[in-house]
């Protein structure tokens, strides 16, 4: 048993070192998927958050329906719908299918984050803006949204991390991100456990880096808010 343990971990470290270039490229693709999908999801989420707090019933219904559909269906189904649905209309790569699917999914959760943070701003802020002659839209853009974004940053950071890990589902439509590379190497060597652990190391590194970036942004915005 002891010799098997030593042999396994020896093979793991060897795989980790020898595959660094392969997984470095896969990590870049994973980061690209995450960055593109989250960038789109922020705008999608903000749009549906504004619809939900608009006090216009049809717009609220549209936002609620979108959020309900995303919450009620598995992410892998949403990605497959984008992949097989969009490719019937446009020639679109697996990368963009996954990016749009992840953006569609994360947008619903980001919408609820933005909605909560916007509604947490006191009504006095809106009244102050209107008393200065600002329109409702201008008050929202210059006064409410900057404060709301600062409050939304911690849960947004968590959603970004979830989005990064969810990008592993891109493997199911042939996008060579970290999980896809790990399963391919596992199939080639008949040693899935070693390669899945290698992929876990890279995910942990990326999550650590993303957490660090979000923490730095939080500190910077906290300082600018105090000023």
């Amino acid at each position: 048993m002891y010799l098997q343990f030593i042999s396994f971990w020896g093979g793991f470290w060897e795989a980790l070192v020898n595959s660094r270039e392969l997984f470095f490229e896969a990590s870049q693709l994973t980061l690209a998927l995450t960055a593109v999908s989250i960038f789109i999801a922020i705008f999608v989420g903000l749009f549906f958050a504004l619809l939900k707090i608009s006090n216009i019933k049809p717009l609220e219904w549209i936002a609620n329906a979108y959020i309900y559909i995303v919450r009620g269906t598995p992410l892998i189904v949403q990605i497959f719908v984008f992949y097989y649905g969009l490719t019937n209309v446009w020639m679109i790569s697996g990368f963009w299918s996954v990016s749009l699917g992840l953006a569609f999914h994360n947008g619903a959760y980001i919408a609820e984050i933005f909605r909560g943070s916007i509604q947490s701003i006191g009504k006095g802020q809106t009244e102050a803006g209107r008393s200065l002659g600002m329109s409702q839209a201008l008050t929202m853009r210059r006064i409410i949204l900057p404060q709301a974004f600062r409050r939304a940053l911690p849960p947004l950071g968590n959603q970004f991390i979830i989005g990064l890990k969810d990008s592993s589902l891109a493997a199911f439509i042939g996008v060579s991100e970290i999980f896809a590379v790990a399963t391919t190497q596992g199939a080639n060597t008949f040693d899935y456990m070693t390669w899945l652990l290698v992929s876990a190391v890279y995910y942990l590194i990326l999550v650590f880096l993303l957490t660090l970036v979000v923490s730095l942004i939080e500190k910077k915005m906290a300082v600018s808010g105090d000023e």
Side-chain angles (χ1 to χ4, degrees):
M1 179 68 73
Y2 176 75
L3 292 177
Q4 289 179 337
F5 179 81
I6 295 298
S7 175
F8 173 80
W9 285 108
F12 165 75
W13 286 112
E14 182 180 357
L16 182 64
V17 172
N18 293 338
S19 64
R20 59 186 182 277
E21 292 184 3
L22 184 63
F23 276 93
F24 180 72
E25 292 180 3
S27 297
Q28 289 179 309
L29 186 55
T30 295
L31 284 175
L33 279 170
T34 304
V36 171
S37 62
I38 290 298
F39 179 78
I40 297 172
I42 287 173
F43 291 97
V44 173
L46 181 58
F47 174 74
F48 281 100
L50 293 176
L51 291 189
K52 193 162 184 179
I53 64 174
S54 65
N55 294 322
I56 301 173
K57 289 300 181 183
L59 299 183
E60 290 182 36
W61 295 336
I62 292 172
N64 288 331
Y66 162 65
I67 293 170
Y68 178 78
I69 290 171
V70 169
R71 285 179 168 177
T73 56
L75 174 54
I76 188 64
V77 173
Q78 296 166 22
I79 290 175
F80 272 44
V81 166
F82 271 88
Y83 180 65
Y84 290 108
L86 290 178
T87 51
N88 287 332
V89 181
W90 298 291
M91 292 297 294
I92 187 170
S93 66
F95 175 89
W96 282 105
S97 297
V98 175
S99 295
L100 293 175
L102 289 172
F104 175 81
H105 179 82
N106 286 304
Y109 294 95
I110 291 175
E112 288 291 79
I113 292 171
F114 278 138
R115 179 195 59 78
S117 61
I118 291 171
Q119 291 182 331
S120 71
I121 306 298
K123 292 183 178 180
Q125 300 280 349
T126 302
E127 293 171 358
R130 298 306 297 273
S131 67
L132 293 173
M134 295 184 183
S135 65
Q136 185 172 353
L138 190 60
T139 302
M140 177 66 71
R141 182 165 61 87
R142 290 189 175 179
I143 297 177
I144 305 301
L145 287 182
Q147 297 180 73
F149 184 77
R150 191 177 296 116
R151 295 187 182 186
L153 195 54
L156 281 177
N158 291 333
Q159 192 62 41
F160 295 167
I161 291 171
I162 293 171
L164 188 151
K165 292 185 290 186
D166 285 345
S167 67
S168 60
L169 295 176
F172 291 97
I173 59 173
V175 179
S176 298
E177 45 70 65
I178 294 174
F179 182 69
V181 170
T183 53
T184 300
Q185 292 297 106
N188 292 338
T189 60
F190 301 101
D191 185 8
Y192 281 97
M193 180 59 71
T194 294
W195 292 104
L196 289 175
L197 288 175
V198 170
S199 71
V201 169
Y202 281 91
Y203 279 117
L204 287 170
I205 292 172
L206 294 182
V207 167
F208 172 77
L209 293 175
L210 184 55
T211 303
L212 184 61
V213 170
V214 172
S215 297
L216 291 173
I217 294 174
E218 284 183 27
K219 290 178 181 179
K220 184 174 180 60
M221 294 193 71
V223 171
S224 63
D226 293 337
E227 295 174 353

